[in-house]
Amino acid sequence: MTKAAELAKMGEVLTNSQIGGRRNMVINGAMNVAQRGTSSTGLGATDGYYTVDRFGFNFSSTAARLTMTQTADGPSGFANCLKLDCTTADTSIAANEYIQLHYRIEGQDVQQLKKGTSDAEKITVSFYVKGNASATYTCEIEDVDNNRYNSQEFSVTTSWTKVTLTYDADTTGVLDDDNANSMAINFWLHVGSNFTGGTHTDNVWHTTANQRVGDNQTSFADSTDRTFFITGVQMEVGEQATPFEHRSFGEELALCQRYYTVIASGSGKTLANIANYSSTVLYGVYPLPVEMRATATLEQVTGTSYYIHYRNGTGDSFNELESDTSTARAMEFHVDSEISGTAGHAGFLRTQNASSHVAVSAEL
C-alpha cells in the first residue's frame, strides 16, 4: 500500500469514513447547557424555551401538562439528558391538539444540504431515547421556508436506544440564506387528527398537514406515568450516522449564547456599570459575550426591590430594568423610577432577590 493510500485509510478510520471537521448541525445535542435552569413545571399552555438550551416546545390546545428537566442520566458517554414527565394527562385528543419538542436552525447554517437543487443531499438524524414503557413517536424534518415536511416513526423502550433516521434528499424548495428559522427537527409526542388523518408514509417530502405524523403514534399525554428521555441529538449531511460530535462545555455554551444569554440570576449578582444621566435616570451598557443572532430582547423577573443601584456610598432599590435601544452585541439598560442621585455620578447595578433574573434572548 502506498503512503498516500495509508494516510487515506487512516483518515477513514479516524472519521468513520466521513469528512472530518464540524459535522453536527445541532447545538447542545448532549443537553449539557441549561441556562434557564434545570427544571420547569406546568408546561403545556405556552410555547417557548424552558430548561435545556436550544430545545423548545410548541403546544396547541392540549390540557396536558409536563415537567421538563435537565437530568444526570444518559447512555455511555453522555452525562445529561432532557427528561419529560407527564404530570396532567389528556386522553381526549381534539383534532388540532399537539405537543412538539423542537430544534430550530438558521437558514445560513443548512446551506450545505443543497436543498431545492439537483445536488440535494440526504440528511441523517440520530439520537438516544428511552421512556417508562414502549412507545412510538415521530421525528420530522420541517422545511420552514417552503412548508415542506418529511417524517419517520421511531420506537422507545425502557432502555437507552440509539435511533438513526436518514431522510431522502429534497430537490424542491431552496432554503433562505439568512439568520431566520429555515429548518426544524420536530419530535411529535401528542397529536390530533389534523396531523394524522391522511395517509402517512415514512421518508417522503410533502406539503400535506394531515400526513405529517405516523399512523402508530403514541400519545405522551395518555398517562401521568409517561416519561421521555432524549440526548445525543445529531443532524448531519449524508446517509451515514457518524459518532456523536462532542464539544467542550465552553464552546457549546458560546454557541448557545448566540440565542440566549443569562446576565445575572439570583441575589447579589452584578449586572452592569451604570451612571446617572440625570438625578432620576440611569443609563448603562452590558457588552454581550458573543454577537447574538439578532437584536437582543430583554427578559427579566421583576418585583419589589428586586434590583439595586449603588453609587456614592449609598444605594437605591428599584423593581425593574428598561431596555429599548440594544443591538446584537450589547444590551443597554436604563432605570427611570425610584432613583435619586447626581447627574454624572457612576455606580453599578446588582440583583438583591433570590428570584431576580436578567437575560437577553434572540431565539428562533
Side-chain angles (χ1 to χ4, degrees):
M1 182 180 293
T2 66
K3 187 65 173 179
E6 289 179 358
L7 291 172
K9 183 65 175 177
M10 183 180 297
E12 289 182 5
V13 172
L14 291 174
T15 64
N16 196 27
S17 301
Q18 300 297 303
I19 297 173
R22 182 64 56 82
R23 293 171 283 106
N24 191 3
M25 287 176 268
V26 173
I27 297 168
N28 201 33
M31 313 298 174
N32 290 329
V33 180
Q35 294 185 80
R36 293 171 176 85
T38 59
S39 181
S40 188
T41 61
L43 308 185
T46 306
D47 296 348
Y49 294 86
Y50 293 98
T51 60
V52 174
D53 279 57
R54 305 297 304 119
F55 288 84
F57 274 111
N58 285 339
F59 301 103
S60 177
S61 303
T62 181
R65 293 296 179 264
L66 317 179
T67 292
M68 177 183 183
T69 56
Q70 180 198 44
T71 299
D73 189 4
S76 179
F78 294 87
N80 295 295
C81 70
L82 183 160
K83 179 187 177 184
L84 301 176
D85 286 277
C86 178
T87 56
T88 301
D90 181 1
T91 57
S92 179
I93 307 174
N96 63 336
E97 276 189 45
Y98 60 81
I99 299 172
Q100 189 187 81
L101 176 69
H102 64 70
Y103 181 90
R104 294 171 174 171
I105 312 176
E106 296 176 47
Q108 59 195 4
D109 290 336
V110 285
Q111 295 301 304
Q112 64 270 45
L113 298 176
K114 307 171 192 173
K115 193 175 178 301
T117 75
S118 58
D119 297 323
E121 300 275 5
K122 291 185 177 182
I123 304 167
T124 295
V125 176
S126 55
F127 49 91
Y128 294 85
V129 288
K130 71 174 181 178
N132 67 301
S134 296
T136 299
Y137 301 114
T138 301
C139 178
E140 175 185 69
I141 301 294
E142 179 182 2
D143 170 358
V144 178
D145 291 330
N146 302 287
N147 296 315
R148 293 178 61 76
Y149 318 105
N150 187 334
S151 61
Q152 299 186 51
E153 296 178 338
F154 65 93
S155 297
V156 173
T157 69
T158 56
S159 300
W160 282 110
T161 302
K162 184 175 183 179
V163 176
T164 299
L165 304 170
T166 297
Y167 296 81
D168 284 342
D170 188 16
T171 57
T172 300
V174 174
L175 299 172
D176 295 340
D177 184 21
D178 58 21
N179 67 345
N181 178 27
S182 284
M183 184 165 278
I185 306 171
N186 300 321
F187 297 95
W188 293 83
L189 303 177
H190 169 85
V191 60
S193 60
N194 283 358
F195 306 95
T196 63
T199 302
H200 170 81
T201 304
D202 271 3
N203 198 17
V204 173
W205 286 97
H206 65 91
T207 60
T208 307
N210 68 4
Q211 297 176 12
R212 292 178 66 177
V213 177
D215 301 327
N216 301 308
Q217 176 79 22
T218 299
S219 169
F220 178 76
D222 64 3
S223 167
T224 54
D225 292 329
R226 284 285 179 196
T227 59
F228 177 77
F229 301 74
I230 186 168
T231 194
V233 181
Q234 180 151 295
M235 174 174 157
E236 53 196 312
V237 177
E239 54 188 318
Q240 175 67 47
T242 64
F244 182 81
E245 182 184 8
H246 288 277
R247 294 187 278 259
S248 71
F249 183 87
E251 183 179 5
E252 207 77 79
L253 174 61
L255 293 170
C256 290
Q257 286 175 326
R258 175 172 171 79
Y259 304 93
Y260 187 82
T261 297
V262 173
I263 297 174
S265 189
S267 181
K269 304 299 176 60
T270 299
L271 277 161
N273 291 324
I274 203 160
N276 278 87
Y277 175 78
S278 69
S279 62
T280 58
V281 177
L282 302 173
Y283 276 96
V285 175
Y286 178 85
L288 297 169
V290 301
E291 182 168 347
M292 301 192 76
R293 181 190 65 85
T295 299
T297 300
L298 177 66
E299 284 190 7
Q300 62 181 315
V301 177
T302 64
T304 302
S305 299
Y306 268 35
Y307 305 96
I308 190 167
H309 170 228
Y310 285 112
R311 82 283 183 269
N312 199 31
T314 188
D316 290 327
S317 297
F318 60 97
N319 300 342
E320 63 182 322
L321 296 157
E322 302 288 342
S323 180
D324 48 22
T325 55
S326 297
T327 70
R329 295 187 177 186
M331 171 60 62
E332 180 185 286
F333 295 124
H334 65 92
V335 182
D336 50 16
S337 64
E338 303 172 286
I339 297 299
S340 176
T342 302
H345 279 196
F348 64 94
L349 298 181
R350 183 182 288 174
T351 62
Q352 60 171 9
N353 188 287
S355 297
S356 301
H357 183 83
V358 180
V360 290
S361 177
E363 290 284 10
L364 289 165

